[in-house]
Amino acid sequence: MVTLTIATPDHVDSLVPMFNDYRRFYEQPSDSKAARCWLEANLNQNRSTVIIAETPHDQQAIGFAQLYPGLCSVDLTHFFVLYDLYILPDYRRQGVARDLVTYATRWASRKGAARIDLETAHTNTAAATLYKGLGFKAERNFQKYSLAL
């Protein structure tokens, strides 16, 4: 069992190591200072919502999910992008990721969002299994493109 909370700037110290490890998973160089700056800016400027998972007995941070707001002009609605999801290795396969994503979907629904979008690496089969099990559907109508600037 974990405690799930919407993070505030007071949570940054406990988020930085996990956020840095999350970025390293995606082959980015370790940079705790940049991770701290990113999280502080996002939380202080309400650019994202971070849900933090903590152990109930000692409030140790063990995972997080970060969502960014999005707009859809076709549907004339707003949605959220679940962009970051990370669980400390010792707490994986215990339902923490499932709890975070479930909390995120309920939170987004209460905010009136039409949907949650997400993407993951093709090789991240554990995440794909989780998302499919929670009812997420793979996008088949659109192709994703990116242009580095």
Side-chain angles (χ1 to χ4, degrees):
M1 185 60 136
V2 296
T3 302
L4 302 170
T5 307
I6 301 294
T8 68
D10 292 336
H11 291 102
V12 169
D13 286 344
S14 58
L15 286 167
V16 166
M18 291 187 297
F19 187 60
N20 192 52
D21 286 347
Y22 165 79
R23 294 183 67 251
R24 289 178 53 222
F25 174 81
Y26 284 104
E27 301 176 2
Q28 298 302 308
S30 180
D31 191 337
S32 294
K33 183 178 177 183
R36 174 176 297 283
C37 289
W38 183 261
L39 289 166
E40 286 175 343
N42 283 353
L43 293 174
N44 288 326
Q45 298 172 29
N46 295 314
R47 292 191 316 201
S48 72
T49 298
V50 178
I51 303 162
I52 188 167
E54 299 173 314
T55 56
H57 54 283
D58 62 0
Q59 285 77 46
Q60 176 193 348
I62 60 171
F64 73 94
Q66 184 162 211
L67 296 101
Y68 294 93
L71 298 171
C72 179
S73 57
V74 173
D75 295 333
L76 301 176
T77 192
H78 72 280
F79 63 96
F80 288 93
V81 177
L82 196 164
Y83 205 89
D84 308 321
L85 178 64
Y86 182 79
I87 312 301
L88 291 175
D90 289 347
Y91 294 91
R92 293 180 185 161
R93 302 211 182 277
Q94 297 180 30
V96 178
R98 178 176 295 278
D99 289 348
L100 278 165
V101 175
T102 299
Y103 186 100
T105 57
R106 290 179 182 155
W107 174 86
S109 179
R110 286 193 308 273
K111 294 290 182 184
R115 67 180 187 270
I116 289 183
D117 289 348
L118 59 83
E119 58 188 61
T120 191
H122 293 287
T123 57
N124 195 343
T125 56
T129 300
L130 169 68
Y131 300 140
K132 289 176 186 174
L134 289 170
F136 285 80
K137 305 288 184 217
E139 177 58 57
R140 305 223 184 268
N141 296 324
F142 297 96
Q143 293 184 36
K144 181 182 182 229
Y145 293 92
S146 184
L147 175 67
L149 303 177

